[in-house]
Amino acid sequence: MNDDPVLNGPSRYWYRGDAGRGYGSNNYRFTYGIAGESSAENWARWSMGRRVGRQEVEVYVPHTKATATVVYRIDVGGSVFTRRAAQRDVSGWTSLGGYDADGARVTITLRDNDARSASAEAISRL
């Protein structure tokens, strides 16, 4: 499990979420979406390391500030999957699906230019 994503981009565009939310000791963070502009100003990446067996990928969507539809890129040993989360329709932990890892490295990436509308929340767990 990765409780500490790499947050990339100007720090002034990353905001802390509500205390006590998210997974483990990591409160969720968010950045406002730039709605499909050509390059991301901010992105978050979770490196989960090598995983064995079927892995369920979930994201935490808080009930406030999350109004975007965002795209998560899930990389399992070189195979790339994309999953959309319409955040206005969900809250709490939401599944992005199960994946057979078979000892492969797993990373999950969220970019602010994937967002359509207000904000892109960033926290994930396996």
Side-chain angles (χ1 to χ4, degrees):
M1 292 184 205
N2 185 308
D3 197 18
D4 191 21
V6 172
L7 299 176
N8 187 69
S11 61
R12 68 183 177 273
Y13 297 129
W14 283 110
Y15 307 94
R16 280 200 181 276
D18 298 332
R21 303 288 185 212
Y23 179 74
S25 62
N26 186 19
N27 294 324
Y28 72 86
R29 305 216 180 204
F30 70 94
T31 185
Y32 288 99
I34 57 175
E37 291 184 21
S38 61
S39 63
E41 293 176 354
N42 288 71
W43 54 261
R45 179 170 295 138
W46 294 264
S47 296
M48 304 298 182
R50 292 191 180 278
R51 296 291 172 150
V52 176
R54 188 147 180 90
Q55 303 294 310
E56 182 76 18
V57 176
E58 297 178 307
V59 294
Y60 181 79
V61 179
H63 69 280
T64 61
K65 298 185 184 73
T67 59
T69 295
V70 296
V71 177
Y72 289 86
R73 175 189 161 119
I74 302 162
D75 187 320
V76 180
S79 295
V80 176
F81 305 90
T82 57
R83 297 295 181 259
R84 293 188 185 279
Q87 296 174 330
R88 76 181 87 242
D89 299 331
V90 297
S91 66
W93 287 106
T94 300
S95 176
L96 295 180
Y99 304 88
D100 293 318
D102 296 328
R105 291 190 182 281
V106 177
T107 60
I108 302 164
T109 306
L110 170 66
R111 298 179 186 275
D112 64 356
N113 65 338
D114 287 336
R116 293 181 192 159
S117 194
S119 69
E121 305 291 340
I123 190 164
S124 181
R125 73 175 174 182
L126 277 180

